[in-house]
Amino acid sequence: MPNGSHQILLEIPIHNIWLFVRDMNKWAPLVPGYIEHEILNDQQSTWSFKGDLGIVKKTVKLKIDITQWQEPTRVSFDLTGLSDNFSGSGFFKADAVNEHSTMMTGYLDITAKGAMGPMINSILKTFVPKTAFELSEAIAAEIIEIEKAGKDKTTKLYKES
């Protein structure tokens, strides 16, 4: 089963990370190759993205089922291919290192099934870890940017007073 994980230490309190991760609308657009997503309900959404599988560039549609919202530490999900015969799972996990730092982990596994499964899985062995890395880094960068903007705004307001 092709999988990948990536950890990032952020100098940001766990609660602030949760404020971002709990809203899928904030991080779904950060998926590499993002085209669109639709929230169906609190537990389900559909995502479309363009996957670059080396010699093949393909639009992939997935259904995401949230299996766990555990504030402030974890969002777990299952995924099912709507356009292709894929299944898998993933999670974002946050572990407080101290009151100002958090270790964030992103994990993703995707397996292709059917007659083409073995060939596609050999390609996914490099695609999935790269996607887990890129998505985790993009989420971290966005959270850092939001934190920086918030601090700049606070500093500016303080100086204007």
Side-chain angles (χ1 to χ4, degrees), residues 20-93:
F20 184 84
V21 174
R22 74 178 180 184
D23 183 352
M24 199 179 309
N25 288 314
K26 292 180 180 174
W27 53 271
L30 301 175
V31 172
Y34 174 83
I35 297 172
E36 66 181 355
H37 75 283
E38 178 182 1
I39 303 294
L40 304 175
N41 58 49
D42 289 348
Q43 304 296 318
Q44 294 182 321
S45 61
T46 58
W47 298 17
S48 297
F49 61 95
K50 196 165 288 282
D52 185 352
L53 304 175
I55 60 170
V56 177
K57 290 180 180 23
K58 181 167 184 49
T59 298
V60 177
K61 294 184 180 186
L62 300 172
K63 183 176 117 192
I64 308 296
D65 291 295
I66 301 294
T67 57
Q68 183 180 36
W69 288 108
Q70 184 178 342
E71 183 179 348
T73 59
R74 190 177 183 98
V75 177
S76 300
F77 55 89
D78 289 335
L79 56 89
T80 306
L82 297 175
S83 60
D84 298 279
N85 197 0
F86 291 109
S87 65
S89 62
F91 63 79
F92 290 104
K93 185 173 86 165

Side-chain angles (χ1 to χ4, degrees), residues 76-144:
S76 300
F77 55 89
D78 289 335
L79 56 89
T80 306
L82 297 175
S83 60
D84 298 279
N85 197 0
F86 291 109
S87 65
S89 62
F91 63 79
F92 290 104
K93 185 173 86 165
D95 295 303
V97 175
N98 58 45
E99 69 180 63
H100 302 291
S101 300
T102 306
M103 181 65 72
M104 186 179 81
T105 304
Y107 173 82
L108 181 62
D109 77 63
I110 301 174
T111 302
K113 300 182 181 199
M116 298 295 289
M119 182 189 77
I120 294 170
N121 285 327
S122 67
I123 296 168
L124 290 176
K125 285 184 181 179
T126 56
F127 176 79
V128 172
K130 179 181 174 199
T131 300
F133 174 85
E134 290 176 357
L135 178 57
S136 297
E137 287 289 327
I139 289 171
E142 189 72 16
I143 292 169
I144 289 167

